[in-house]
Amino acid sequence: MDYLKAGHDFSVINQRSQAYVVEACRPWNLSYSEHVTLLSLYSHDGCRQNELCQVMQADKALVARNLKTLEAKGFVSRRQQGTDRRYKYLYLTPKARELQDTMEEILRKWVDVLIQGVDEVTLGPALQLMHQVATQKRWVKVLLPLSIEQSMKP
C-alpha cells in the first residue's frame, strides 16, 4: 500500500471540503467546524453539551468553542430545564432553524461534487468502507501510543 498517497489523498479531500464549506458559509460568517456543529444540532436539538460531543465524536474543548461562537452569533442558546442547574441544554434559535435547509444543501452539494463520476456499484462499498474507517473504536488506542512515541523522539 502506498501510505504517502493515501495520506495525501485524505488530506486533499479534507482541505477541499473545509475550503468549500467555509466559502459557502461566508454570508453567515460560519467556520467549517461551526457548520458541522449546526448540522449535528439539527438532529439533536435540546441535547446537553457532552451528548453533542459524543454525537460529533469531537473533543470537548472544540465543541465548547464552537458553541460559544454560535451562541454569540445568535444560532444557539443554552437553557436549564427545571430546577436542575447542573446541566444546560442546547437549542437552536429561530435564526438557525431558518437556515437548516441551506446548511444541509451546502453539504449535499459538496458530497455530490465529491462523488461525481463514481458509478453506483463502486460508490456503495466505498461509502461503507469510509464509514467503517471513521467509526472504528480503536482510534483512542492508536492515537495515545502515537503521542507517546512522538514525545520520546530526540
Side-chain angles (χ1 to χ4, degrees):
M1 180 165 124
D2 186 344
Y3 291 99
L4 183 59
K5 179 157 180 40
H8 177 264
D9 290 346
F10 283 125
S11 178
V12 167
I13 292 168
N14 183 47
Q15 289 171 4
R16 290 181 182 168
S17 296
Q18 288 191 29
Y20 176 85
V21 169
V22 166
E23 184 60 33
C25 291
R26 188 177 304 278
W28 306 282
N29 191 31
L30 291 171
S31 70
Y32 176 80
S33 190
E34 291 165 349
H35 178 258
V36 171
T37 302
L38 273 179
L39 290 174
S40 297
L41 280 170
Y42 286 133
S43 58
H44 294 86
D45 196 23
C47 70
R48 294 191 317 241
Q49 187 169 320
N50 65 328
E51 294 168 337
L52 185 61
C53 292
Q54 291 171 352
V55 165
M56 293 178 63
Q57 297 181 13
D59 172 275
K60 288 180 184 180
L62 171 73
V63 173
R65 279 191 309 272
N66 287 341
L67 290 171
K68 183 178 179 181
T69 58
L70 287 169
E71 191 172 22
K73 293 175 184 179
F75 291 103
V76 173
S77 67
R78 300 176 207 224
R79 297 192 302 256
Q80 294 174 350
Q81 287 185 345
T83 58
D84 190 350
R85 295 176 177 243
R86 291 177 297 169
Y87 301 111
K88 288 192 177 176
Y89 295 83
L90 307 168
Y91 295 95
L92 294 163
T93 64
K95 178 180 178 179
R97 282 276 169 220
E98 289 173 13
L99 290 174
Q100 182 172 354
D101 291 343
T102 302
M103 293 295 121
E104 290 173 352
E105 184 63 18
I106 289 169
L107 178 63
R108 273 191 294 277
K109 284 183 177 180
W110 179 242
V111 171
D112 286 345
V113 167
L114 286 175
I115 64 173
Q116 187 176 13
V118 178
D119 63 89
E120 288 294 322
V121 173
T122 305
L123 184 58
L127 292 176
Q128 285 178 331
L129 175 61
M130 186 172 66
H131 180 73
Q132 180 183 352
V133 170
T135 58
Q136 287 180 3
K137 301 286 186 215
R138 70 170 190 243
W139 285 115
V140 174
K141 294 176 186 173
V142 169
L143 294 176
L144 182 60
L146 286 177
S147 64
I148 292 170
E149 288 175 21
Q150 291 297 326
S151 66
M152 294 175 56
K153 290 186 179 180

